[in-house]
Amino acid sequence: MTDRQINVLHILWDGDLGGVQRYVHRIVTAEGWSEFRNSVCFCSSEGRLLNRTQLGKIDSDCLRIKQGWNWISARRELTRVMEKFHPSILHVHCDSPSISHQLPRLSEVGCIYMEHGDTISRTNRSWFTNYLWKRHGSRWDRIVTNSHYSKEDFARRFPWLEDRTVSVPLCLTLDVETEREIPDTPVVGYVGRLVHAKGIDLLLDAAKIVRETRSDVTFVLYGDGEDRAALETQASKNGL
């Protein structure tokens, strides 16, 4: 290890969901970041989208906790992982109570929280999430949101943390060959998983309304997922 190298430990709940796992994989496998040594820690378990095989030479470990309330187990296991990797920065990708509750004892480590939209979608946990952010939010050195919308929503929910929050839109690279020409007229696009949580059914209904008055607007959806067949049927019924 050179004097310039910085150990970054990326913490995420598991390896099974989707966007978060792909984002972490792209970060830790990126070339040209020689000053960083990346490691990955799963709170519960590795999974289909991100696991030791896909991580290759990147070090990884697991806290082996089954619920976000397992504070005692999380404290013990995180201590073990910290002693193993000696991180100078924690890059946390989940708002699990088992991690947030430990922030007071991590003052000597740089702590960055990456907001992937969890606080927007998990409204059924908003009361407890709000409590944790009010109690421990100021201990994060930086809160990074994945879009300007996420930043505005985060600042609305937790205004006392606005000065710690920055927006870094996620870069997207697709290896796609297409003959489609980009028209001069407006284009509305979606790229991602085709699952219910993304609200694509609402986009298709909105597209139908828009096309009734603006036939020159093009809607393009790219992705795959468990809702693909149902969404294709809905698009057909909406005349799209």
Side-chain angles (χ1 to χ4, degrees):
M1 181 184 300
T2 67
D3 293 337
R4 291 185 56 201
Q5 275 193 317
I6 300 173
N7 289 354
V8 182
L9 179 62
H10 302 268
I11 299 179
L12 60 164
W13 181 254
D14 61 30
D16 261 334
L17 292 178
V20 176
Q21 288 70 21
R22 294 184 176 94
Y23 174 76
V24 172
H25 182 266
R26 176 150 297 191
I27 287 179
V28 301
T29 59
E31 298 180 0
W33 292 25
S34 58
E35 67 270 31
F36 294 98
R37 175 178 175 265
N38 292 289
S39 303
V40 174
C41 178
F42 302 100
C43 288
S44 59
S45 63
E46 60 181 61
R48 178 178 56 87
L49 291 178
L50 193 61
N51 51 55
R52 288 183 176 84
T53 299
Q54 292 174 321
L55 288 171
K57 296 180 180 180
I58 305 298
D59 292 327
S60 64
D61 208 315
C62 183
L63 302 183
R64 298 188 291 272
I65 58 176
K66 296 182 179 180
Q67 294 180 337
W69 308 86
N70 294 353
W71 296 336
I72 297 177
S73 297
R75 181 183 180 91
R76 181 183 64 248
E77 291 299 309
L78 184 59
T79 297
R80 175 184 62 80
V81 170
M82 296 278 288
E83 292 176 348
K84 177 180 178 181
F85 294 129
H86 302 288
S88 48
I89 295 176
L90 292 184
H91 194 188
V92 181
H93 303 266
C94 61
D95 63 344
S96 171
S98 58
I99 301 299
S100 301
H101 194 259
Q102 300 186 62
L103 285 172
R105 71 185 187 93
L106 300 174
S107 58
E108 296 183 0
V109 180
C111 294
I112 300 173
Y113 174 73
M114 182 73 197
E115 170 58 47
H116 290 271
D118 293 0
T119 59
I120 297 175
S121 61
R122 296 176 182 172
T123 54
N124 61 324
R125 286 172 50 185
S126 60
W127 69 269
F128 190 64
T129 301
N130 190 74
Y131 167 77
L132 286 175
W133 282 107
K134 180 174 293 186
R135 184 176 178 84
H136 299 307
S138 62
R139 297 183 183 274
W140 294 104
D141 294 289
R142 190 68 73 218
I143 299 163
V144 182
T145 65
N146 62 357
S147 70
H148 294 302
Y149 174 81
S150 293
K151 180 182 178 181
E152 292 174 355
D153 181 87
F154 195 89
R156 178 179 60 81
R157 294 169 184 261
F158 316 114
W160 58 90
L161 297 174
E162 185 173 6
D163 62 340
R164 293 177 180 267
T165 306
V166 296
S167 172
V168 181
L170 303 187
C171 296
L172 179 66
T173 301
L174 294 176
D175 296 323
V176 180
E177 293 184 5
T178 176
E179 298 298 326
R180 180 186 296 273
E181 294 184 1
I182 301 177
D184 294 330
T185 51
V187 177
V188 178
Y190 168 85
V191 180
R193 292 183 297 143
L194 304 183
V195 295
H196 179 72
K198 300 296 186 180
I200 308 170
D201 56 327
L202 302 178
L203 173 61
L204 291 176
D205 285 341
K208 178 182 179 182
I209 296 173
V210 171
R211 289 292 294 273
E212 289 175 352
T213 56
R214 287 291 302 271
S215 60
D216 60 331
V217 179
T218 301
F219 290 84
V220 180
L221 280 68
Y222 178 89
D224 204 354
E226 58 193 41
D227 284 4
R228 177 167 184 156
L231 292 170
E232 288 178 340
T233 299
Q234 182 183 354
S236 179
K237 289 181 178 180
N238 286 358
L240 303 171

